Amino acid sequence: MDEKYYWTLKDIPPAKAHFFITPQNQMTNALLTKTQIIASRLFGLIEGYVYTARGHQDSSIYTGYSGIALIHFLIYKKTKDINSFKMAKELTDIALTKLSGVDVSFLTGDAGPLALGIILNSLDGDTIQSSALCLSLIQLGQNPSPDISCALIDGWAGYLYALLFVNKHAPGSIPYDVVRKVVMRIIDRGMKNSSNKGTKVPLVFEWKGLNYRGALYGTCGILYVLMCSNVLEEPELSRLIQPTVDDLVRVQKSTNFSSHEKSEESLVQWDLGAAGYVPLFIKASEMLHHSYLGYAKGAASIAWKRGLLKKGYSLCHGVPGNAYSFLSIYRKTNNRRQLLRAMAFMEWCLTWPRYEDYLPDRPFSLFKGYSSLIYFFNDMRDMSNTAFPGYEL
């Protein structure tokens, strides 16, 4: 057995599907109750931590209390629980007092709290505050620093995601030309890197001096968000985006996708491995050619075979993150087998904290800690309308 994961689950037989999902493809009440019990326990731990001195040090969505705000926003969207709305706004308001003015990404920078603030104030009917925050978000994107990467985690793809996230939940807030400008900034950077390296791949992106390929740090995540922008023109899709997607396919390993140009590691996790590629290939199947859907299914199959990670229960590099592979395929194909695979991973997550060989360094955070389970369990309330936070749109 690989030291990085436990075992491969067996598919749930159709005859036993009714223990997991209803005829309407919703979670059964019995499983919903189990998820709520665990989520309640975790909320008790996490919300106590948020209001400690240490808990207030990190305001990011990735590892800080803005991630808890995003969970409450999700719960509000799924259930219309007004208390969750109030908690999301309270935490976001605190985060908005601690902006750096220079960190641009949704996950680790100012764009995350600003985007949440725009949406929550818009929903609350405060158009003046929402507009002011929208202006701040747009101004944040005018940072000319060449040191900002294009990566989802800390760079321009993360900023672009924030703009698109706002327009998804508060339509029309961000003008077309603002989105287009950011898209062109990312494309220009990729073309310049390609030219400097003398490669035939039209777009090259680096993070920390390496050509990372996965969703969080590399080309996969950048290309996915670019295609989600809906502002790309046909020549850009055919001459720049598609050949770069094809290069990711070309360098795929037989058992996974390598994390960067100098890595042979088989890290089957969302941030670096196969799970993060599923949304990219689904989007490519819609915008480039239907054949890319086969690559999406292949990447999800890798997550199924080797996705019960010993790192545990986090979105970034744990089992819930890999489960989103099946949810993405299900939303695209309506294939019930993929839905049952997501349910199988979710049932495994109900074992928390039994299977956790590596204690998370940020145990209360959304992406690296136990808050991952709260988000995942609540997102599964409506399995036809799930989205990996900070990535899928």
Side-chain angles (χ1 to χ4, degrees):
M1 181 184 294
D2 191 303
E3 64 180 8
K4 298 181 180 68
Y5 74 104
Y6 286 105
W7 54 79
T8 300
L9 294 174
K10 293 182 179 180
D11 275 304
I12 297 170
K16 294 186 177 180
H18 65 280
F19 291 115
F20 298 86
I21 54 178
T22 68
Q24 293 74 38
N25 288 344
Q26 296 299 315
M27 191 190 311
T28 62
N29 287 333
L31 276 179
L32 178 61
T33 298
K34 290 180 180 180
T35 65
Q36 289 174 327
I37 290 171
I38 293 179
S40 179
R41 287 172 57 195
L42 290 170
F43 258 137
L45 296 172
I46 291 162
E47 293 190 336
Y49 173 78
V50 163
Y51 290 101
T52 65
R54 185 176 181 184
H56 262 254
Q57 291 175 358
D58 187 346
S59 60
S60 74
I61 283 182
Y62 188 58
T63 52
Y65 56 84
S66 289
I68 312 303
L70 187 62
I71 292 173
H72 280 292
F73 173 64
L74 170 78
I75 294 173
Y76 170 74
K77 293 291 289 185
K78 297 271 184 176
T79 68
K80 301 304 178 186
D81 181 350
I82 193 63
N83 289 324
S84 283
F85 181 88
K86 290 178 179 178
M87 182 60 72
K89 194 166 186 309
E90 178 181 327
L91 292 172
T92 301
D93 285 345
I94 296 171
L96 289 171
T97 67
K98 300 185 177 183
L99 302 179
S100 69
V102 294
D103 297 327
V104 301
S105 82
F106 181 84
L107 292 177
T108 61
D110 293 359
L114 283 168
L116 271 178
I118 293 165
I119 295 164
L120 292 168
N121 280 284
S122 178
L123 290 171
D124 207 25
D126 191 341
T127 56
I128 294 176
Q129 179 66 358
S130 179
S131 296
L133 292 173
C134 200
L135 180 60
S136 296
L137 180 61
I138 292 172
Q139 289 175 337
L140 179 67
Q142 296 173 3
N143 189 329
S145 173
D147 297 327
I148 299 173
S149 79
C150 288
L152 188 69
I153 186 167
D154 61 6
W156 291 116
Y159 177 76
L160 177 58
Y161 173 88
L163 301 181
L164 303 179
F165 183 74
V166 168
N167 274 349
K168 176 180 178 179
H169 296 286
S173 297
I174 307 296
Y176 172 95
D177 63 319
V178 173
V179 175
R180 177 69 182 171
K181 183 177 180 180
V182 178
V183 166
M184 290 312 302
R185 174 181 287 166
I186 295 170
I187 287 178
D188 288 346
R189 178 80 66 85
M191 292 175 64
K192 182 178 180 181
N193 288 341
S194 174
S195 178
N196 289 341
K197 284 182 170 288
T199 176
K200 293 182 179 179
V201 182
L203 298 176
V204 173
F205 301 101
E206 292 187 340
W207 190 79
K208 306 293 186 183
L210 286 175
N211 179 12
Y212 272 82
R213 296 174 177 136
L216 187 59
Y217 308 101
T219 305
C220 167
I222 296 168
L223 294 179
Y224 171 72
V225 180
L226 283 174
M227 283 194 283
C228 287
S229 70
N230 293 323
V231 301
L232 289 168
E233 298 175 358
E234 196 285 327
E236 293 159 353
L237 286 167
S238 61
R239 298 174 189 174
L240 300 175
I241 301 297
Q242 186 164 3
T244 308
V245 173
D246 288 343
D247 185 66
L248 291 177
V249 173
R250 181 185 64 81
V251 299
Q252 176 191 359
K253 306 301 179 183
S254 60
T255 57
N256 193 24
F257 293 82
S258 62
S259 57
H260 56 73
E261 60 187 339
K262 295 184 178 180
S263 172
E264 297 296 328
E265 289 185 288
S266 297
L267 298 171
V268 183
Q269 55 196 52
W270 171 78
D271 61 337
L272 295 169
Y277 284 78
V278 176
L280 169 68
F281 289 136
I282 289 175
K283 199 68 179 175
S285 76
E286 296 168 350
M287 299 189 69
L288 303 176
H289 193 272
H290 62 84
S291 62
Y292 289 102
L293 184 59
Y295 295 115
K297 292 177 180 178
S301 180
I302 292 170
W304 173 251
K305 292 174 182 176
R306 299 172 58 228
L308 289 185
L309 299 175
K310 290 187 176 181
K311 289 184 178 181
Y313 301 89
S314 74
L315 285 167
C316 191
H317 38 240
V319 177
N322 282 334
Y324 275 91
S325 302
F326 321 126
L327 293 169
S328 299
I329 297 288
Y330 168 69
R331 292 195 312 273
K332 176 63 179 176
T333 66
N334 205 33
N335 186 316
R336 212 165 192 239
R337 184 188 187 193
Q338 297 294 331
L339 183 59
L340 288 170
R341 286 187 167 186
M343 294 303 299
F345 269 42
M346 193 201 76
E347 185 185 40
W348 189 91
C349 288
L350 293 173
T351 64
W352 177 84
R354 186 187 309 163
Y355 296 111
E356 190 167 52
D357 283 17
Y358 303 86
L359 292 177
D361 56 353
R362 300 293 183 94
F364 302 105
S365 68
L366 173 57
F367 271 75
K368 302 177 90 175
Y370 306 133
S371 296
S372 296
L373 286 177
I374 302 176
Y375 191 98
F376 178 48
F377 289 158
N378 279 282
D379 210 10
M380 292 284 280
R381 286 173 178 263
D382 178 7
M383 291 176 283
S384 63
N385 190 31
T386 58
F388 193 103
Y391 187 40
E392 290 184 294
L393 287 155

